[in-house]
């Protein structure tokens, strides 16, 4: 496998142009750019991280438009995901806005979500999660995920951790954006450091999200 040398400017330019012209004709005309500037570097990046974090799934560039009102055929970013559990793990993406990294769980069965909420409700486990999130958000991670507009059934709206209990999914992301490091081999070390920093959150989800 080739060594990772960074995402070239052409990768960002490719997605900038794709956002303006998301058509098969554009894609076919620029397929070589996608293969060389996006797909090959992403494969090299996750390959360099595989010994420590595991094998990544590199997502297909094609959108599933069968049940979507948006019929544009191509994704406007290239993502890769290392699964550590059910819908839980590490994420990296490159697109027109540069590079971002993420961790978390993106969906959950009702049984698993009930287990996560029970852990959040528990004073000890819930406090542990609050501390982990406080440390990460102080380090420029952004908490996101789908949320209910009100309290989940069985929990009081005045619960001290109601904001966390509302989550149906929970993720953290950190934007590297256009930092020059994304164009260099040092990006491997940055992603490794960010994923390692956020591992306590992944571990908490894996420990407490068992249905």
């Amino acid at each position: 496998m080739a060594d990772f040398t960074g995402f070239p400017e052409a990768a960002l330019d490719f997605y900038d142009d794709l956002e303006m012209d998301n058509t098969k004709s554009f894609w076919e005309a620029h397929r070589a750019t996608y293969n060389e500037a996006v797909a090959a570097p992403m494969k090299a990046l996750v390959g360099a991280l595989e010994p420590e974090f595991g094998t990544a799934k590199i997502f297909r560039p094609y959108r599933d438009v069968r049940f979507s009102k948006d019929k544009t055929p191509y994704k406007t970013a290239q993502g890769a995901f290392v699964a550590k559990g059910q819908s839980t793990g590490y994420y990296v993406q490159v697109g027109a806005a540069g590079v971002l990294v993420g961790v978390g769980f993106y969906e959950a069965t009702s049984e698993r979500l009930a287990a996560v909420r029970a852990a959040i409700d528990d004073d000890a486990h819930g406090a542990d999660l609050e501390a982990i999130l406080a440390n990460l958000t102080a380090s420029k991670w952004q908490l996101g995920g789908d949320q209910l507009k009100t309290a989940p059934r069985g929990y009081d709206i005045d619960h001290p951790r109601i904001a966390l209990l509302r989550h149906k999914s929970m993720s953290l992301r950190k934007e590297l954006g256009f930092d020059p490091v994304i164009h260099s081999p040092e990006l491997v070390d940055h992603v490794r450091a960010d994923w390692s920093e956020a591992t306590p959150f992944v571990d908490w989800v894996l420990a407490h999200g068992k249905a």
Side-chain angles (χ1 to χ4, degrees):
M1 180 183 296
D3 291 338
F4 179 75
T5 58
F7 287 107
E9 289 281 357
L12 279 59
D13 292 342
F14 170 82
Y15 280 112
D16 197 35
D17 292 340
L18 183 63
E19 288 183 358
M20 300 296 294
D21 186 11
N22 197 320
T23 62
K24 184 176 181 180
S25 59
F26 172 87
W27 184 269
E28 292 299 334
H30 297 85
R31 181 185 292 272
T33 301
Y34 169 78
N35 289 335
E36 296 167 11
V38 178
M42 180 61 82
K43 183 178 180 180
L45 174 62
V46 297
L49 295 163
E50 182 174 340
E52 185 171 354
F53 294 96
T55 303
K57 174 183 179 180
I58 299 177
F59 294 114
R60 289 165 52 85
Y62 313 105
R63 295 183 62 249
D64 184 350
V65 300
R66 291 174 298 173
F67 308 107
S68 174
K69 293 181 180 179
D70 179 0
K71 298 300 182 182
T72 52
Y74 304 103
K75 298 174 183 176
T76 54
Q78 176 64 67
F81 183 72
V82 179
K84 306 305 290 186
Q86 181 186 14
S87 305
T88 302
Y90 302 91
Y91 182 73
V92 62
Q93 172 183 296
V94 63
V99 172
L100 70 83
V101 293
V103 297
F105 70 96
Y106 57 87
E107 64 182 14
T109 63
S110 57
E111 294 80 9
R112 188 182 187 217
L113 190 55
V116 169
R117 285 177 173 154
I120 293 171
D121 180 46
D122 181 89
D123 286 340
H125 299 321
D128 287 344
L129 178 60
E130 285 183 307
I132 291 168
L133 293 176
N135 288 336
L136 292 173
T137 53
S139 186
K140 299 183 179 180
W141 288 88
Q142 302 171 42
L143 178 63
D146 294 332
Q147 300 178 57
L148 298 172
K149 293 182 179 179
T150 186
R153 184 175 300 175
Y155 294 98
D156 194 275
I157 194 67
D158 295 321
H159 192 287
R161 289 178 291 280
I162 189 60
L164 295 177
L165 287 167
R166 284 182 174 138
H167 277 266
K168 297 188 291 181
S169 63
M170 197 178 299
S171 60
L172 289 155
R173 60 188 283 165
K174 181 182 281 191
E175 304 274 358
L176 300 181
F178 305 122
D179 190 303
V181 74
I182 73 172
H183 304 302
S184 74
E186 283 70 38
L187 181 60
V188 173
D189 292 332
H190 274 253
V191 176
R192 179 184 291 113
D194 286 337
W195 282 359
S196 296
E197 181 181 44
T199 290
F201 174 69
V202 176
D203 288 345
W204 189 96
V205 173
L206 295 176
H208 302 293
K210 298 175 181 178

